[in-house]
Amino acid sequence: MTTQPPGLSHQPIAAALVASRPRVWRRLLAYLRPYTWVMTVSMLAMALAGLAEPLLPAMLKVGLDRGFGPNADLALWQVPVAVIGLMLVRGLCVVAASTGIGWVESHVLADLRRDMYETLLHLPALRFDQSSSGPLISRFTHDASQVMSAGARSLSVLVRDSITVLGLLAWLFWLNWSLTLIILAMGPAIAFTMVTINRRLRRLSADHLRAMGELTQRVDESIAAQRVIKVDGGQAMERERFSAVTRRLRQVSRRFSVMAALGSPTNQVIASVAVSVVIVVAMEQSRQQASSVGSFVSFVTALLMLLSPLRNLSNLGGPIQTTLTACESVFDLIDEAREQDKGQETVCNMRGALRFEGISLSYPGAKVPALREICLSLREGEHVALVGPSGAGKTTLVNLIPRLYHPQRGKIYIDDIDINKISLSILRSQIAIVSQDVRLFDDSIAANVAYGAQRGASKEAIRQALAHAQLLDWVDAQPQGLESLIGENGARLSGGQRQRLAIARAILKNAPILILDEATSALDNESERAVQSALESLMKGRTTLTIAHRLSTVIHADRIVVMQAGRIVESGNHEALLACDGLYARLCQGGELM
């Protein structure tokens, strides 16, 4: 059996720590700080467990030197009682340390995910447009758990086995310092090996996290688009995509495993030379009566006992690099720039007059601007419809009002107040939006209507909102009424019911500014007429911007604004625009406004 040189695995561990970024470790320690006492007690218990290991060969020496031969002065019961007592104390310390570390791990993981989610809630809309949800979800599920699982395991091994190695080294030095120095001579070779391997492990760990993000994205897309996959026969295509992702993940995992496993055997081969020399010299000293039988057996036993802790310490490169890479991923998300909110104005009773002055906006990487020098004013309570071909910039323009996006040039005013000077929470409380992309939550009907700031609304107010949205009769027919669950994103509702539930949410909000982005697009003609009647009642006294492709939705608007290629090309009421025989007239010829 071969062993590794005692005391030298600390150099590879130190190299791994030095190679990492101190900022990341300081951030992680900051999350541990609230649980300092529990962590300290756990580490002390783990240190005691590690200290128990060197005591075993020491007991063995005493037992052999004083328990055998004619001069034996130890009682027969003393050695077994001492060994059993030592192992019992060690076991209790390990249990206490593992329990405490597990408790801290669960709390720190919850704290990390809390901070990640807090950042997620305040990321700019553009951030979600530029990346898929898969890598973000992977950071919550995989990366965060890797921080604590790999980190806690590494910390336990580092504390317990470091104490064990130091204790055994001290005992070996006390028994025979010359033999111990022979083993320590292998230090530089082992340190160089571990530094090289750890550098490679860090790159592979980053590749592994990226591959996990791609896997999560693929599964998430397949679940969200499962109906399209079934109807269009996309199983084979999705299977190929999934296989490609899993193949990359398997290749990275295999390379990581090989590289992580390479360290220990390499060091053992290097160590075998020193160990062979040590055993030969120790046997020769024993034959020359230079040491007692107890000292020789104790030295060899302590040397062999170093095998397990040294193997554990030399294998820490992989978990340490996994922890470091996962920490960087988690902290990068936590540190991402949030929505800017420098507004100080807290006007709560806005009238709703809107004014766009010279608004221009280009999305990152786009060759053509989405909006170009838009100038538009809406009087308080005016209903303005935005029409035009797809990609004209209609939705982009209305998304600027709640500051989901920010124009590169120009300003937007509400009641002659620059919206950048208004607090985000106040600004958005004055705006209700119903879009074609309806988003509902896996909760009750009541919770989806009285959502967010409206969650304290009375049941009567919720019922009135549902009645205006032509949905109350259907709700009352449900077994649990308002408390009926609707499934993920309203999976248990029809398209029209989902749309009307979103309309009921906007009705309950009762904001002075109303934005309708294809709000009736999912309704049949009969439902559209009923909801349109409710919307017309709701729009009275409110400034309303309507985006619609159906002519019937915009024909009665106070003003119709026609957009094309990010510009306003026509403006006026229905009759006036038809008389101009321009773009609006051409759009109306087919009965649809594109």
Side-chain angles (χ1 to χ4, degrees), residues 339-380:
E339 285 185 306
Q340 294 183 1
D341 186 10
K342 299 179 181 179
Q344 301 296 324
E345 297 283 348
T346 56
V347 181
C348 297
N349 296 315
M350 297 182 181
R351 301 187 306 277
L354 276 169
R355 188 168 80 254
F356 299 84
E357 290 189 353
I359 298 297
S360 295
L361 181 144
S362 296
Y363 290 114
K367 297 180 179 179
V368 179
L371 297 173
R372 313 183 193 202
E373 298 296 329
I374 297 293
C375 293
L376 177 65
S377 295
L378 286 79
R379 301 184 307 274
E380 175 187 346

Side-chain angles (χ1 to χ4, degrees), residues 83-201:
V83 172
I84 294 173
L86 179 64
M87 292 298 101
L88 180 61
V89 171
R90 180 185 178 278
L92 292 175
C93 289
V94 169
V95 170
S98 299
T99 302
I101 291 174
W103 185 88
V104 172
E105 178 184 345
S106 64
H107 280 74
V108 172
L109 182 57
D111 293 343
L112 284 170
R113 284 177 170 155
R114 176 203 63 207
D115 290 349
M116 292 168 70
Y117 193 70
E118 186 64 25
T119 298
L120 185 72
L121 291 175
H122 294 91
L123 288 177
L126 198 59
R127 169 64 172 81
F128 296 99
D129 296 340
Q130 293 175 331
S131 61
S132 59
S133 60
L136 282 175
I137 297 173
S138 180
R139 291 189 185 188
F140 279 87
T141 57
H142 181 263
D143 298 8
S145 62
Q146 284 295 308
V147 169
M148 292 316 302
S149 61
R153 184 169 62 251
S154 301
L155 186 59
S156 300
V157 170
L158 185 61
V159 172
R160 183 189 66 238
D161 291 345
S162 293
I163 295 295
T164 298
V165 168
L166 290 174
L168 289 172
L169 267 179
W171 179 246
L172 288 173
F173 265 109
W174 188 82
L175 287 176
N176 196 322
W177 62 268
S178 59
L179 293 180
T180 308
L181 287 178
I182 293 175
I183 300 174
L184 291 178
M186 295 294 102
I190 294 179
F192 174 78
T193 301
M194 292 309 299
V195 167
T196 303
I197 291 175
N198 284 340
R199 190 177 295 120
R200 176 62 176 162
L201 283 175

Side-chain angles (χ1 to χ4, degrees), residues 399-479:
N399 281 336
L400 296 178
I401 302 173
R403 283 166 52 190
L404 296 177
Y405 301 99
H406 297 271
Q408 280 83 38
R409 292 192 301 275
K411 292 185 178 181
I412 302 173
Y413 297 87
I414 297 179
D415 296 346
D416 295 324
I417 303 173
D418 186 346
I419 63 170
N420 291 314
K421 296 181 179 179
I422 304 173
S423 167
L424 261 181
S425 59
I426 297 297
L427 173 66
R428 291 172 179 174
S429 70
Q430 306 298 301
I431 302 168
I433 300 177
V434 180
S435 69
Q436 57 185 333
D437 183 21
V438 175
R439 288 293 170 180
L440 302 175
F441 300 90
D442 189 6
D443 206 334
S444 67
I445 294 173
N448 273 276
V449 176
Y451 178 73
Q454 312 303 317
R455 63 183 179 273
S458 66
K459 288 188 176 181
E460 184 58 34
I462 296 172
R463 290 179 62 83
Q464 288 180 2
L466 289 167
H468 283 298
Q470 304 294 316
L471 202 58
L472 185 58
D473 291 342
W474 175 82
V475 172
D476 287 340
Q478 301 305 303

Side-chain angles (χ1 to χ4, degrees), residues 138 142-143 146 201-215 248-257 322 325:
S138 180
H142 181 263
D143 298 8
Q146 284 295 308
L201 283 175
R202 182 168 181 174
R203 289 195 295 267
L204 289 174
S205 183
D207 292 342
H208 185 268
L209 291 183
R210 282 193 293 270
M212 281 299 301
E214 292 178 10
L215 180 67
R248 285 195 297 272
L249 182 60
R250 185 179 67 248
Q251 291 170 350
V252 173
S253 299
R254 185 179 68 249
R255 291 198 295 269
F256 185 91
S257 299
T322 297
T325 307

Side-chain angles (χ1 to χ4, degrees), residues 41-53 93 97 159-160 163-164:
V41 172
S42 300
M43 290 299 100
L44 286 175
M46 194 63 74
L48 289 175
L51 191 60
E53 298 286 339
C93 289
V159 172
R160 183 189 66 238
I163 295 295
T164 298

